[in-house]
Amino acid sequence: MKQLTVIGFSLLALTAGCTVIPGSGLPTKNKTVVYHENDSADSTLDSRVNLYPITLSLVESMRQPPRFAQNNNALNAQKAGYRYRVGSGDVLNIAVWAHADLNTPAPTSSINPQSRQVSNGIWVDEAGYLFYPLAGKMLVRGKTLPEVQNMLTGRLKRYIKNPQVSVNVTEFRSQRVTVSGAVGQAGQLPITNIPVTLLDAIDLAGGVAENADTRHIKWTHNGVDSTISLQDILQYGDLSQNHLLSHGDIVYVPTTENSKVYVMGEVGRQSALRMGNHGLTLTQALGDTGGMSQAMADASGVFVIRNAPADHEKPIHVYQLNLKDATAYALGNQFRLQPEDVVYITAAPVTRWNRVISQLTNSISNVNALDDTFQ
């Protein structure tokens, strides 16, 4: 009788939620439960979810359009019309033919922080002015080299007959673009008289690292962020995504560390998988985690949970794949996952029942052992 009483209390504790286990519950008594002012009985999680069966028509609707090699005529026109404009900090070399006394370069007071050497030439000051003998003080910031040359020629005509003036930049210091992230050598690159594109900047920075996410490169231009796929440029020749860079632009190459898919539930091993630069399909994710558990998984309960912030009414999208028919693996192989997706495989009903019975059996066995000890 004593044994049955102990078993009865054990079953009662188990079926009551096993709150005797440390940390298995969180009583709200004497605790302040805070709700958002917009929370209501209608704003449940279920009302914010869309459920989509993974079918052939769904896969076709989500398929990305084929990518082809594309020219970038707009970029070619920009490069053809590109002219470097002088800025504050640039060092200019000015030569006047047949007047060697004017051509002697004078050391500037500006020091190159990289070479730590004094530069020879004429430095454009912070206000955008330079001083040249006979020509005096001139505002050159924002002007092209031919425009600076014409200004000098016009002023030197007062003292020299038919002056022949040559102007070029010996050090480009005024304008920079920043390349950061998973590249060979992150840092700043100077804007020079040769136009620099996004692809050029990455090459000049040593190329991308092995762990670079080449599909989601961020380009910041005039405070506006754009996502560029270097993978499409290199693999498909989609030059429409290549752009001309200008002063202040930022090119950030992320790593694949943050591009992960989480596989949970009844699989060989629950894992966080990196997407890689070639993407990941649902079937690949299942294969990389050891596949579905043949004994415990519910073949009809393969779910992909995805956050869709653009859908303000129902921002949680759940996709369900029914694998009772083995041919459905073909659909899974065409369903492409996105970063932060959660793949969850549910347990079969019989598995859940067996687990409950197993817990009950273990509890009864432990009680029997305890009862035998005290007999």
Side-chain angles (χ1 to χ4, degrees):
M1 183 67 181
K2 179 174 64 175
Q3 179 179 351
L4 293 176
T5 303
V6 175
I7 293 175
F9 278 116
S10 298
L11 293 176
L12 179 62
L14 182 62
T15 55
C18 297
T19 56
V20 294
I21 300 174
S24 62
L26 183 64
T28 59
K29 185 178 180 180
N30 298 327
K31 295 183 176 68
T32 302
V33 181
V34 180
Y35 294 95
H36 193 274
E37 60 182 3
N38 294 328
D39 286 346
S40 64
D42 295 332
S43 62
T44 61
L45 189 62
D46 290 343
S47 65
R48 300 176 65 79
V49 176
N50 274 337
L51 179 61
Y52 303 91
I54 298 180
T55 61
L56 182 60
S57 59
L58 176 70
V59 171
E60 291 291 341
S61 66
M62 300 177 68
R63 192 188 304 276
Q64 294 182 349
R67 285 158 289 187
F68 304 100
Q70 299 185 50
N71 291 324
N72 194 335
N73 295 327
L75 176 61
N76 294 335
Q78 285 181 310
K79 293 171 67 175
Y82 176 80
R83 299 293 183 273
Y84 181 79
R85 295 188 177 274
V86 177
S88 298
D90 285 340
V91 179
L92 304 184
N93 178 39
I94 301 175
V96 181
W97 294 98
H99 292 275
D101 55 331
L102 296 177
N103 299 339
T104 303
T108 68
S109 59
S110 176
I111 299 178
N112 188 329
Q114 296 180 353
S115 65
R116 311 303 300 173
Q117 295 178 354
V118 178
S119 301
N120 290 332
I122 300 178
W123 174 60
V124 181
D125 64 20
E126 294 85 350
Y129 288 89
L130 65 77
F131 179 83
Y132 193 76
L134 300 181
K137 189 176 182 180
M138 300 184 301
L139 178 63
V140 297
R141 185 173 59 192
K143 299 186 181 299
T144 64
L145 294 181
E147 289 173 343
V148 175
Q149 179 179 329
N150 291 336
M151 290 176 60
L152 277 169
T153 301
R155 294 197 179 191
L156 293 177
K157 281 182 178 179
R158 306 172 187 173
Y159 312 98
I160 302 174
K161 184 177 180 180
N162 296 326
Q164 298 183 28
V165 180
S166 172
V167 180
N168 57 66
V169 182
T170 59
E171 289 195 34
F172 298 89
R173 299 181 180 179
S174 63
Q175 301 164 62
R176 294 284 190 273
V177 297
T178 302
V179 183
S180 61
V183 292
Q185 186 174 359
Q188 292 188 327
L189 300 174
I191 296 291
T192 68
N193 57 328
I194 301 175
V196 178
T197 65
L198 186 146
L199 190 58
D200 296 332
I202 294 176
D203 288 339
L204 291 172
V208 296
E210 292 184 0
N211 63 338
D213 182 359
T214 58
R215 298 185 305 144
H216 300 95
I217 293 176
K218 188 174 77 171
W219 170 47
T220 303
H221 176 70
N222 292 333
V224 179
D225 293 339
S226 302
T227 300
I228 306 298
S229 175
L230 181 63
Q231 189 72 25
D232 289 351
I233 297 177
L234 298 179
Q235 184 175 355
Y236 301 103
D238 183 11
L239 296 179
S240 65
Q241 298 192 57
N242 197 16
H243 300 276
L244 187 67
L245 301 184
S246 58
H247 176 58
D249 282 4
I250 300 174
V251 178
Y252 174 71
V253 181
T255 67
T256 55
E257 293 293 333
N258 296 325
S259 298
K260 292 182 178 181
V261 168
Y262 305 94
V263 185
M264 302 178 179
E266 305 300 330
V267 290
R269 62 182 184 279
Q270 303 187 60
S271 305
L273 303 177
R274 292 186 184 180
M275 293 286 293
N277 291 321
H278 297 282
L280 192 67
T281 67
L282 178 54
T283 300
Q284 288 174 329
L286 294 176
D288 289 346
T289 53
M292 296 172 55
S293 173
Q294 298 296 319
M296 299 180 180
D298 182 356
S300 64
V302 180
F303 296 97
V304 178
I305 298 95
R306 176 176 299 168
N307 288 319
D311 190 344
H312 299 289
E313 294 184 0
K314 296 192 174 183
I316 303 174
H317 291 184
V318 178
Y319 303 89
Q320 181 180 8
L321 179 63
N322 187 345
L323 286 177
K324 287 184 177 180
D325 184 350
T327 57
Y329 275 105
L331 294 177
N333 202 37
Q334 298 180 61
F335 186 90
R336 305 196 69 82
L337 300 175
Q338 296 181 7
E340 303 303 315
D341 277 356
V342 176
V343 179
Y344 184 75
I345 314 300
T346 59
V350 65
T351 300
R352 293 193 293 268
W353 171 251
N354 287 339
R355 286 172 178 170
V356 172
I357 295 300
S358 176
Q359 291 177 354
L360 290 173
T361 303
N362 291 335
S363 178
I364 293 173
S365 299
N366 292 334
V367 170
N368 288 335
L370 181 64
D371 184 62
D372 292 340
T373 300
F374 288 98
Q375 285 182 355

